[in-house]
């Protein structure tokens, strides 16, 4: 049996601490992780190598999450990555806005490994924990 190729995840967040926490969780789930501090940096990373999953913050300098998401989805192959919006935004209309803009799932900050793992399973990127 051949080993499964590790999935690539791009963490897009202006908080170094959030990126560090998310990286630890994702690496424990056998993801190859890349980081970007804003949407513009993330877009460059996606053009260079499209990830399987994008963990995306909403409020960032230079380019916010929604702008990044619409530009990502417009790229060739930009519909392929599963996008999980990660935000402190809790208003239902804002969550609906993120989902209608092309996000696959929504994760409230702060999140932990169990929450992230269950959301990744919900979008079909990993097997659900037994």
């Amino acid at each position: 049996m051949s080993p499964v190729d590790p999935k690539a995840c791009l963490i897009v967040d202006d908080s170094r601490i959030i990126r560090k926490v998310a990286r630890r969780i994702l690496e424990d789930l056998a993801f190859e992780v890349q980081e970007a501090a804003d949407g513009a940096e993330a877009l460059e990373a996606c053009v260079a190598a499209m990830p399987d999953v994008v963990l995306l913050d909403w409020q960032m300098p230079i380019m916010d999450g929604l702008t990044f998401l619409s530009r990502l989805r417009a790229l060739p192959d930009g519909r392929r990555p599963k996008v999980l919006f990660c935000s402190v935004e809790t208003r239902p209309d804002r969550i609906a806005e993120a989902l209608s803009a092309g996000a696959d799932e929504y994760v409230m900050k702060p999140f932990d490994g169990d929450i992230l793992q269950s959301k990744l399973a919900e979008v079909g990127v990993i097997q659900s924990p037994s």
Side-chain angles (χ1 to χ4, degrees):
M1 215 166 92
S2 66
V4 176
D5 290 332
K7 294 203 179 297
C9 182
L10 176 62
I11 302 166
V12 188
D13 200 302
D14 56 328
S15 163
R16 191 177 55 78
I17 292 159
I18 296 284
R19 291 196 312 267
K20 186 176 178 180
V21 168
R23 171 183 282 276
R24 191 171 306 130
I25 293 167
L26 289 157
E27 285 178 343
D28 285 349
L29 295 170
F31 279 87
E32 285 183 357
V33 179
Q34 231 190 325
E35 298 178 22
D38 61 65
E41 203 178 295
L43 212 52
E44 286 176 24
C46 289
V47 167
M50 194 62 75
D52 299 297
V53 184
V54 178
L55 217 55
L56 181 61
D57 184 25
W58 193 310
Q59 305 294 335
M60 296 178 289
I62 303 168
M63 184 189 296
D64 70 10
L66 274 182
T67 305
F68 164 80
L69 184 55
S70 67
R71 293 187 183 169
L72 169 72
R73 294 304 194 205
L75 289 174
D77 209 24
R79 293 225 158 272
R80 187 172 63 78
K82 296 292 183 184
V83 176
L84 277 67
F85 241 115
C86 295
S87 180
V88 293
E89 189 63 67
T90 57
R91 290 189 0 234
D93 60 317
R94 297 289 278 171
I95 294 169
E97 184 182 358
L99 295 172
S100 68
D104 295 286
E105 191 50 80
Y106 198 89
V107 182
M108 301 281 190
K109 285 182 185 172
F111 53 83
D112 62 20
D114 292 340
I115 292 168
L116 206 50
Q117 192 171 1
S118 74
K119 293 290 186 178
L120 288 165
E122 275 178 44
V123 299
V125 180
I126 61 170
Q127 295 294 313
S128 62
S130 39

